[in-house]
Each structure stands twice: as structure tokens, then as C-alpha cells.
Amino acid sequence: ISGIETPMESLSLPEIELSILTLRGQRVMLSSDLARLYGVEPRTLMQAVKRNSERFPADFIFQLEFEEWQNLKSQFVISSWGGIRTAPYAFTEQGIAMLSSVLRSPQAVQVNIEIMRAFVRLRRILSEHQEISQRLNDLESRYDQQFKAVFDAIRALMRVPEDKSHRLYGQNWQQG
């Protein structure tokens, strides 16, 4: 697949991590972000996926519902003028890994490696967060009420904002 070329030097792990969203209780990346990282047009990316639809079951890819898309647009203040008119597709980690068998350019291979590293790093961070939370619970149980306010404040800082787009729709992306 050829298209827009993006220099690999400009690709950064933080940039990839910022593109990973939580939708329907899963960590995903949108087709538009993946296309940009791979250096192809979004329609080119989706044409390749649709030509190989047997490699992308519903748990690897899904199209955002209108409400999910509107919610994302409002969260990121995306203009409603110009750009894509249909809701983008969301790829799970397994769907992104499968893209490496469909997109075979050297850039696609390197991008996939970096994306997999980003997913692993996020899992490690979440695991460490859970360990810290458990240690905090242990400390709190050892000390009396005078420290309760401190522990509550720390927990409030650790809380991840709730994503309102965690609804399950069960729609197979290929039906859309």
C-alpha cells in the first residue's frame, strides 16, 4: 500500500500512546490515526482491510456508533466541517497486529512494532498502578483515621476519568 509517506524519525511512543483510546471497554486505535501513522489515506487502509475481511473478525475491529463518534468529536474539539463524514473504525490490539499481515511496507512493519510496544507499556503502567493502589490500601489499614484524608486525596489523584463510551453494541463491523 502506498500513499502519504511519514518519516519514521518523527514517530514517537508518546504520540502512539496518545492515539490509544478506550472504547467499549477495550483499548483501541482509530482507523484515521492508524492511517496517519502508516502513511496511507484512511480509505486506502480500509480498502486493504475489507479485501482481507476474513482476517478481521468483530473482536478485532468495529465501526463507531454515531453517539460514540460524536462524543469523541466533542472531547477532542474536532470540527464538523470537512474531514470524514462517516464514523471511523476502531481496531483492537489484535486487529492492529493483524494489520501487519495486510500492510507490508517497511514503514508499516516499523509502525506496528512501535504500536505493540506502546500497548505493552500501557499494560505495565496499569499493572504498576494496581500495585500502588494495593500498597496504599495496606498502609491505610495500618494507620488510624488521622491519615484517612491524605489517603483519600491520593486516591482521588489516581482515579482515571470515566469514559462514557464504554457501551456494548455487538454490531459486526462488516454489516455496516
Side-chain angles (χ1 to χ4, degrees), residues 13 17 112-122 124:
L13 197 58
E17 289 173 356
N112 261 35
I113 290 169
E114 293 305 315
I115 290 172
M116 293 303 111
R117 286 179 176 152
F119 273 99
V120 167
R121 184 171 180 268
L122 286 176
R124 186 174 48 242

Side-chain angles (χ1 to χ4, degrees), residues 73-93:
K73 283 172 56 173
S74 66
Q75 283 179 23
F76 295 105
V77 193
I78 298 171
S79 170
S80 59
W81 298 100
I84 59 173
R85 299 282 183 211
T86 60
Y89 288 87
F91 288 80
T92 65
E93 185 175 355

